[in-house]
Structures are given as C-alpha cells and as structure tokens.
Amino acid sequence: MRPAFSVIFLTTLIGAGQGLFLALYTGQLYAFFDLLPAQDSRSFYAAGSAVSLAFLGGGLIASFFHLGHPERAWRSAAQWRTSWLSREVIVLPAFMGMVLLYGGAHWFGWNTPLFELPGGRHVDPTLILGAVATLLCFMLFVCTAMIYACLRFLQEWHTPLTVINYTLLGGASGFVLASAFSAIAAPQLPGFYAGWAIILTALAFLGRTASLVRNARLRPKSSTRTAIGIKHPHIVQKSPGAMGGSFNTREFFHGKSRAFMRAIKPAFLLTVFVIPLTLLAMGMANPSMLGAALLSATFILQYLGLLAERWFFFAEAKHPQNLYYQCVS
Amino acid sequence: MTQLALIIDLNVCVGCSACVTSCKEWNTSGPAGPLSDRNPYDADPTGTFFNRVQTFEVGEFPQTETVHFPKSCLHCEDPPCVPVCPTGASYKRKEDGIVLVDYDKCIGCKYCSWACPYGAREIDEQQKVMKKCTLCVDRIYSTTLPEADRRPSCVMACPTSARLFGDIHDPDSVVSRAIRENGGYALMPEWGTQPANHYLPRRKTSITIHKDQLVRADNPLKIDGKLPKPAKQEPTLDDVTSW
C-alpha cells in the first residue's frame, strides 16, 4: 500500500492525544486514592486537556486532507452499523467533546462532590467525565485500528495485534508526552509518568515485534493462479491494461526500494523503542535528569519514529490487487 | 432474486480492447459526468476506466499461451467494499445485484478501494469520487434505446462474443448455462466474496478421426466399384445423366 501522510499524521497525533488524556486521568485516579499528591486543576488537568485536544484536533485536521470531498465529511457518520471508519468518525469528536468537558470541569472548578464512596472519598463530576472519556478513548483506539484490522485480505493488518499495537503505541507516546508536560506543570510527577511510559513502551515493543515476526512469516492466500483462475505454475503478466499507470498502480504500491524498506524497520525500532527506553531509564536512575528538555526530546524523537513506524505499517501490507499489476507495459 | 453479471469467455477473447474503448465512450459521455483522464495524448497518459484488458503469458516457451484477461467490477454477491463505506455511497442494489457508487455521497476516502481484493475501483482524480463498473445501468434499463441495445456497451462491442450478460440466478439463462456447461469459475474464491461475474476457461476444441473413417468402409452392395468409368475424352457422367 502507498502510505498516505494524512492518515499517518491522523493516527499518530490522535494516539498521542489519547495517551496524554489517559495519563492525566491515571494521575487523577492515583491522586483520588492518595497515591500521588493532588495537582492543580487549572495548570495541570485543564492545561493538559488542552494539549491533548490540540493533538486530537491536529489529527482531525490531518484526516480531512485524505478526503476528496472534505465538505461532505459529515456524511461519513451514516454507516456506523457496518463501517469502522464511520464509527471512528463518530467516536473521535465524541471523545474530543468529553476531553473538552473534562478539561472545562477542571478549569471552572466543578468539583462539588456528587456522592461519597465507602472509604470517605468524594466523587466529583471531573472523575465521572474522565471515566466516560476513558471509555471513549479506548473505543477510539479500537475503531482506528479496526479500520485496518477488519480488511481480511490485507493479511498483514488482519490480526488482533493491530488493535493491541495501536493502543499500546498511542499509550506509550501519550505517557511520554505526559511526562514532558508534567516536567513543566507538575514537578512531582515526571518520574511517575516516565515509569508508566517505560512500561507501555516496552509492552508496545513486544507487540510490534510480535506483529513484525508474524508478518514476516505470512504466506499470501492469493496468487496469480487464483487471481485469473488459471492453474499453471508459470504465469507471467505482460500488460496491466494501461500504459502510463493507473489509480491501481499508484495507490497500492509504496514505490520505495528494498534497501529503503530494510532500513526503515531498524530505524523506527530504534527511535520508537530503544532510544526512548534508554533515555527514560537513564532519567529514572538519575531523577535530576528528568527535566523538560530530556523528556520533550524523548517525545519528539519517539513521535518522529512513530511516523516511520506508521509509514512502514501501511507500506508493509501487500494488497492482493497487486497480482493484477505485476508489470509495466 | 436477480443477480446481473457478465460472463467472460477467455477461450474466445482476442484482447482487442474494444470493450475497453466502448465502455469508456459510453460511460464518459453519460449524465454521471466524464471518466477523467490526465495527459491523454501526452507522455504518461492515465485515466479512469471501468474495464481493462490485461495480458498474461501462461507456460514456458515454446509451450506458451497468451491469455487476454478483461477485468472489471465483479459485482460480488457479498461485496467487501460496501459495508466499509462510511457514507453509504457504495451500495448493492437489491433488485438486480449491481454494486453502485452514489457520486453525490462519496467523500473520496478510497477506503472501498482498499477493501476490494480485485482492484476494481478507481478514483476519478478530477471529480475526487470513487468510480467503478455500473454494468451500464443507464443502458440496460433505458426506455429510449432500441430493445437490442439495452445491454452493457462492452457486451455490444465484443466482436467475438466473449462477453455474455444476464441473470446468473436464473438457471435457464444463457449465462447460467454457460457457467454450468463450460466450467465457469470465479476469481479469488479464497476470500468468499462470491463474485457474480464468472470467467470461462480456455478449452481445447478437437475431434479424433480414425483412418477408416476417411474412406467409405461400409459399402455392402459394392455399388461404388461398379459405376461406369468413362474415358477421358468422353463427357463426364454428370454431363449426360441425372443419375
């Protein structure tokens, strides 16, 4: 497949935004159970929600560049019964709305306790809004990944690992972002977030490696024989039915050399997993290093790596229609 | 239930591409707007087509056979491109099984083209909507065209009648009989899309003739041998007698 940059930016930006929101809410839950010091509503939760919304909004804007008719984008909410893309189109704005409400509730101090839990803890509206947003956040991960995982003949994508990896990579990216954000807004928390970022990045590394190993061992179900229905071991295409290429030759081939494909894999493995893990581990070992500079650099580096990772995710998939376009006449 | 479909006979297709040009001509001039091209008369010409004829070489020299392979939307009975469409622009008609795109609803996200294993859908670079074979829905239900012309234009154009058109759910139709009697098959059956269009395979046409069939072995009265044999100068038997 030819990777579309609009989709690469959409999936990586909303992944980081979703992860950041999850990090904020995790922090609030920890504080709720007195495991972490409580943070300022405005400068931490509301500001953090704004950063999260900026990433989500950036992703949403990027997605419009993928459309031939962006002015008709509203129609795409229609087929939510069957289409994962349609479901994503509904869940993304819903999630953004809930993050806005969550951030707004923190900003305006809507923390009048609604009811009391047995332990004497007071549940306020922000906690409820955050829980709903968390649910939507995971639904969004599933919707985004299922857009690709539901296509059964794109065998590289048709696996639960796709959903797992989208969730873990988004979470890892968001928690690294949260650690960088907290280095500015909540000086007690970078260590907490960096710890979670290490766990999520390590899990994402496992998941992504598993999918790389799986995809390297895949045997394509379709062949030229099933494509044209002639059972002969030796079939060569002589003409694809077009001289100057067509949509089919542009959309489904990434057009990069084998050397490039070989190089990008270690490149993203290093920048998404190895280097960020090393930097975060160094920071954990020596907390004085866990400053905004190191953590921001880690986030930016990992984000750039995720762009490469997502590029590779799309480029790696071999569409069966390519069997009809094996030569240029 | 009706399921209209094309049957393509690879045994007689000669790869002339008349179906391609005829399809393009009809569908670029219709009320749905043109099938846009880029650089049509220049270097790197490219454009939107519903139908293309591809060529494959089967076997190794000298035992090779050239197979011309017309490829268009197969109007699957379980089309994977339809449920993924977020707007409902892609749909399968209940009444005749044709898979169509509503160009006014399509947002050009190309997701349906990813969901089609056959590469049957092509985006129109100018109109920015997805296009595909309509089985000439504007011809076959036309009320103004002569009755004989109410067939897809590729079928009309084919000089060797390699393309048949009809309802594959009607067991007595020409297309059902062709599938049944000539080993019609579907493409990429492994994905369970149940394409409505079928292909008829290459067939070897031959009869066996034994030597004794070349002369009249059964001539029990030996009449052939007793016929008068006129001399070379004399008029032939045909000239003088009516037998």
Side-chain angles (χ1 to χ4, degrees):
Chain A
M1 303 289 290
R2 184 177 61 83
F5 271 92
S6 47
V7 181
I8 293 178
F9 279 113
L10 162 72
T11 54
T12 50
L13 285 172
I14 64 172
Q18 287 167 267
L20 175 60
F21 168 78
L22 289 181
L24 294 175
Y25 192 62
T26 310
Q28 191 183 359
L29 281 183
Y30 269 67
F32 179 70
F33 291 107
D34 301 326
L35 299 168
L36 278 179
Q39 297 303 319
D40 181 60
S41 272
R42 285 197 172 188
S43 66
F44 185 70
Y45 293 115
S49 301
V51 176
S52 168
L53 273 176
F55 274 86
L56 294 166
L60 187 62
I61 292 168
S63 74
F64 278 89
F65 287 93
H66 189 64
L67 303 182
H69 282 279
E71 78 282 4
R72 299 179 187 165
W74 59 273
R75 287 186 178 276
S76 58
Q79 298 296 310
W80 55 272
R81 286 182 195 82
T82 59
S83 170
W84 283 104
L85 178 54
S86 187
R87 288 169 200 163
E88 189 196 31
V89 165
I90 295 169
V91 174
L92 175 56
F95 173 60
M96 287 177 72
M98 284 312 293
V99 175
L100 183 70
L101 279 178
Y102 175 77
H106 274 296
W107 181 263
F108 294 110
W110 296 340
N111 47 13
T112 337
L114 293 173
F115 55 90
E116 196 180 318
L117 287 184
R121 299 176 205 283
H122 298 283
V123 176
D124 64 17
T126 60
L127 218 52
I128 307 279
L129 289 170
V132 177
T134 303
L135 183 71
L136 285 169
C137 181
F138 281 105
M139 281 166 65
L140 182 54
F141 274 129
V142 172
C143 289
T144 309
M146 278 309 286
I147 290 175
Y148 311 106
C150 76
L151 301 174
R152 62 185 183 274
F153 33 77
L154 281 160
Q155 291 169 269
E156 287 84 354
W157 297 349
H158 188 53
T159 157
L161 283 170
T162 302
V163 181
I164 294 170
N165 288 339
Y166 267 75
T167 311
L168 288 175
L169 288 167
S173 171
F175 271 78
V176 176
L177 177 59
S179 69
F181 171 69
S182 64
I184 302 161
Q188 310 100 313
L189 293 188
F192 166 73
Y193 283 129
W196 271 111
I198 288 176
I199 294 171
L200 287 170
T201 308
L203 286 175
F205 180 62
L206 289 181
R208 195 66 180 98
T209 314
S211 78
L212 285 177
V213 171
R214 172 191 178 271
N215 291 352
R217 297 162 58 93
L218 273 182
R219 292 168 63 91
K221 262 194 185 178
S222 294
S223 64
T224 311
R225 287 192 285 286
T226 66
I228 66 171
I230 295 173
K231 310 285 180 286
H232 195 287
H234 195 85
I235 302 175
V236 186
Q237 184 166 22
K238 293 292 174 186
S239 155
M243 271 162 39
S246 60
F247 171 72
N248 307 71
T249 59
R250 291 187 289 271
E251 179 75 2
F252 298 96
F253 295 88
H254 54 72
K256 292 283 188 283
S257 66
R258 275 194 191 173
F260 183 88
M261 288 299 278
R262 261 202 304 275
I264 196 163
K265 210 188 300 185
F268 82 71
L269 287 175
L270 275 177
T271 46
V272 176
F273 304 110
V274 180
I275 301 176
L277 278 175
T278 317
L279 290 174
L280 291 171
M282 276 162 53
M284 291 298 280
N286 183 6
S288 65
M289 278 176 65
L290 276 183
L294 176 92
L295 292 168
S296 311
T298 310
F299 171 72
I300 292 167
L301 181 76
Q302 190 183 44
Y303 182 76
L304 293 175
L306 278 171
L307 293 180
E309 185 274 334
R310 216 43 55 87
W311 188 94
F312 184 81
F313 170 81
F314 288 108
E316 190 192 24
K318 291 183 199 66
H319 201 289
Q321 78 102 38
N322 295 2
L323 293 168
Y324 296 105
Y325 295 90
Q326 297 179 59
C327 76
V328 180
S329 67
Chain B
M1 271 283 282
T2 309
Q3 172 66 64
L4 297 180
L6 292 171
I7 309 298
I8 293 152
D9 192 345
L10 298 182
N11 199 40
V12 289
C13 174
V14 291
C16 67
S17 289
C19 53
V20 179
T21 50
S22 167
C23 161
K24 178 85 172 184
E25 188 276 328
W26 175 262
N27 286 297
T28 204
S29 348
L35 294 177
S36 335
D37 293 319
R38 208 173 61 210
N39 306 331
Y41 306 108
D42 217 329
D44 295 325
T46 184
T48 320
F49 283 79
F50 288 168
N51 179 32
R52 294 178 185 274
V53 176
Q54 308 189 319
T55 305
F56 292 86
E57 190 175 84
V58 179
E60 273 172 294
F61 183 80
Q63 270 82 42
T64 54
E65 227 175 282
T66 304
V67 175
H68 298 293
F69 183 83
K71 182 172 87 78
S72 58
C73 172
L74 306 173
H75 298 279
C76 299
E77 303 207 32
D78 185 8
C81 54
V82 167
V84 301
C85 176
T87 66
S90 260
Y91 62 104
K92 186 173 176 67
R93 283 158 53 114
K94 281 216 170 59
E95 62 270 33
D96 53 16
I98 302 181
V99 178
L100 284 179
V101 180
D102 184 338
Y103 300 153
D104 294 332
K105 278 189 188 170
C106 176
I107 57 171
C109 69
K110 305 180 202 158
Y111 191 28
C112 55
S113 73
W114 295 11
C116 169
Y118 307 100
R121 292 169 166 255
E122 300 189 13
I123 200 139
D124 189 310
E125 308 267 0
Q126 225 160 43
Q127 288 181 32
K128 305 278 184 202
V129 293
M130 197 52 79
K131 298 203 166 173
K132 61 176 284 303
C133 164
T134 63
L135 269 184
C136 283
V137 71
D138 49 345
R139 282 188 79 92
I140 59 179
Y141 294 113
S142 169
T143 47
T144 50
L145 287 174
E147 187 83 38
D149 289 352
R150 294 180 196 167
R151 293 182 292 154
S153 57
C154 57
V155 176
M156 302 273 301
C158 184
T160 62
S161 299
R163 304 176 77 95
L164 308 174
F165 169 69
D167 174 17
I168 59 161
H169 282 184
D170 170 8
D172 298 323
S173 66
V174 177
V175 286
S176 295
R177 200 169 302 133
I179 296 172
R180 203 163 54 229
E181 294 173 0
N182 294 319
Y185 61 86
L187 305 182
M188 291 190 189
E190 62 271 25
W191 299 118
T193 52
Q194 293 172 271
N197 283 13
H198 282 66
Y199 285 76
L200 305 183
R202 281 291 171 92
R203 300 180 288 282
K204 292 277 175 279
T205 314
S206 58
I207 54 167
T208 314
I209 299 176
H210 297 290
K211 235 182 186 157
D212 59 336
Q213 289 172 310
L214 289 172
V215 293
R216 274 183 74 167
D218 48 343
N219 187 13
L221 299 177
K222 303 291 182 218
I223 291 171
D224 288 7
K226 284 181 183 171
L227 288 175
K229 217 171 183 184
K232 280 207 172 110
Q233 283 75 22
E234 285 175 38
T236 64
L237 208 58
D238 288 333
D239 293 334
V240 293
T241 174
S242 61
W243 292 86

